[in-house]
Amino acid sequence: MTAPGVEAAETVVRSLLDERLVACGNMVPGAVSLYRWKGAVHRDEEVVVIMKTLRRLVPRVLERAQALHPYEVPELLVQEVVDGNQAYLDWVAEECG
């Protein structure tokens, strides 16, 4: 996900954490996005957010993140993890219980 600033990103991540839909959200400020929107090219500084969840929770995460996000059309993308540190994957599963 991207967000217009750390405050907006933290609002979404904290809500998803409180609802136990994600185990973690990393907020990385300083991204510069160039994009076309409604016929014009825009340049904005954004925060990139990487959230960890379970596949079965993805539909709820997408729904809630969109409802909480300040953008009209937020960037919400899903990338599947095919492997990783099993202890970390177990922690994600436990936190998303």
Side-chain angles (χ1 to χ4, degrees):
M1 177 183 88
T2 56
V6 173
E7 187 176 320
E10 190 166 338
T11 296
V12 174
V13 172
R14 187 166 297 276
S15 292
L16 297 176
L17 279 169
D18 289 346
E19 295 172 32
R20 297 189 66 98
L21 294 175
V22 299
C24 175
N26 303 108
M27 294 170 281
V28 185
V32 175
S33 296
L34 293 168
Y35 58 96
R36 185 174 303 281
W37 177 249
K38 297 187 177 181
V41 174
H42 297 264
R43 179 193 186 279
D44 288 309
E45 290 191 17
E46 294 186 295
V47 175
V48 175
V49 181
I50 304 165
M51 294 179 275
K52 289 77 170 195
T53 191
L54 302 175
R55 180 74 187 130
R56 67 179 171 80
L57 296 176
V58 167
R60 288 175 52 204
V61 170
L62 292 174
E63 179 183 345
R64 286 296 292 140
Q66 185 166 344
L68 295 163
H69 204 286
Y71 288 167
E72 183 179 340
V73 180
E75 175 188 335
L76 299 168
L77 304 172
V78 176
Q79 293 184 318
E80 185 174 6
V81 173
V82 296
D83 203 0
N85 174 355
Q86 192 57 53
Y88 184 83
L89 299 174
D90 292 344
W91 171 78
V92 169
E94 182 179 323
E95 292 305 314
C96 290

